[in-house]
Each structure stands twice: as C-alpha cells, then as structure tokens.
Amino acid sequence: MPTPSMEDYIEQIYLLIEGKGYARVSDIAEALSVHPSSVTKMVQKLDKDEYLIYEKYRGLVLTPKGKKIGKRLVFRHELLEQLLEIIGVKKENIYDDVEGIEHHLSWDAIDRIGDLVQFFEEDPKRVEALRMVQKQNEG
C-alpha cells in the first residue's frame, strides 16, 4: 500500500492526466506546492513501486495499478467532500478538512461513509431532519 504522501502524488498525477492528458514534474510540483526535486524523487519511488513509468525528460504514465489506485483516491476525496457538504460543513473548510482526514480512514470506513451519503441522498427529508437537529443544537 502506498504511504499518505505517495497517495497525494498518485491522486494528483491521476487528476492531471485525466484533465490535461499528461502530467509533468513541474505541473505536479505546482499542484502540490512542492519543489520539482521533491517530485522527481517521489516519481522515481513510484516508478520503482510500479505505480507509474517515468522516463527522465519524457514524462510519466500511470501503470494499470497506478490508475486503479488514482481513481480510487479521487473517489475517496470526492466522497468525503460530499459527506462534509451534506452534514453542513462550511464550503471554505471542506477541502482542508478532507485533506486532513482522508489518509486516516480505512477503506471499510470509506465504504460505510458511501452508505451514509447514499442514505442521505435517497431521501432529502433526511437532510432536512439533520438540519433541524443542527438548528436545535445551535440555539
């Protein structure tokens, strides 16, 4: 399993490739706010661990293993954003909150969160009931 840092890189590389068709070291560095030399080191490690194929000065390509994990990491991130939005977390806090918790949850917990999001989305009255509880607790 990749470390949380590796996950951040794989997720960002996946997003860049999906969005632009490619991911360069400079793009990754900018997206993650790190130095290009840090990206190069991590990309070399990800290549060694077979998450991607990296050729110096030519770019990189995710392996099937890297694509699968990248897709799953993006799903996890988006699911957690959905949950926080449903439970009423302020929009300006959601991204940082997700970044803070996403690496600390098991995939079992992610599956259960998916169930909970589905539960709320299937019946808007459930979200309304939650809002009523929140208003009672505020007042």
Side-chain angles (χ1 to χ4, degrees):
M1 259 337 260
T3 65
S5 180
M6 291 166 76
E7 286 183 347
D8 286 338
Y9 278 85
I10 294 168
E11 181 180 3
Q12 194 56 57
I13 292 165
Y14 179 86
L15 287 169
L16 285 165
I17 291 172
E18 287 295 302
K20 295 170 64 168
Y22 60 91
R24 298 177 308 197
V25 167
S26 59
D27 298 324
I28 301 163
E30 183 179 334
L32 294 175
S33 301
V34 296
H35 293 286
S37 59
S38 298
V39 174
T40 300
K41 285 179 192 169
M42 180 58 80
V43 164
Q44 289 168 341
K45 178 165 181 38
L46 292 170
D47 180 51
K48 181 177 164 278
D49 292 348
E50 299 178 348
Y51 292 106
L52 56 80
I53 299 167
Y54 173 65
E55 294 180 28
K56 198 172 182 180
Y57 307 117
R58 300 196 87 191
L60 50 95
V61 177
L62 287 171
T63 62
K65 172 181 167 181
K67 278 185 192 173
K68 181 179 178 183
I69 289 175
K71 187 174 186 174
R72 195 166 188 204
L73 295 172
V74 169
F75 167 78
R76 176 181 71 186
H77 190 103
E78 290 172 350
L79 180 67
L80 291 170
E81 284 184 352
Q82 277 182 281
L83 174 68
L84 296 184
E85 190 173 322
I86 287 170
I87 64 172
V89 174
K90 293 176 185 164
K91 288 213 184 285
E92 63 266 19
N93 295 333
I94 289 178
Y95 182 82
D96 287 340
D97 287 348
V98 169
E99 286 296 312
I101 63 174
E102 67 184 339
H103 300 297
H104 301 285
L105 296 171
S106 68
W107 286 103
D108 180 44
I110 295 298
D111 289 341
R112 299 300 66 81
I113 288 169
D115 296 341
L116 185 61
V117 167
Q118 180 181 347
F119 174 79
F120 279 112
E121 288 181 337
E122 284 177 350
D123 187 351
K125 289 179 183 171
R126 294 171 180 156
V127 176
E128 291 172 26
L130 176 61
R131 296 289 177 263
M132 295 282 284
V133 169
Q134 290 170 332
K135 279 187 179 171
Q136 288 172 350
N137 288 339
E138 288 173 1

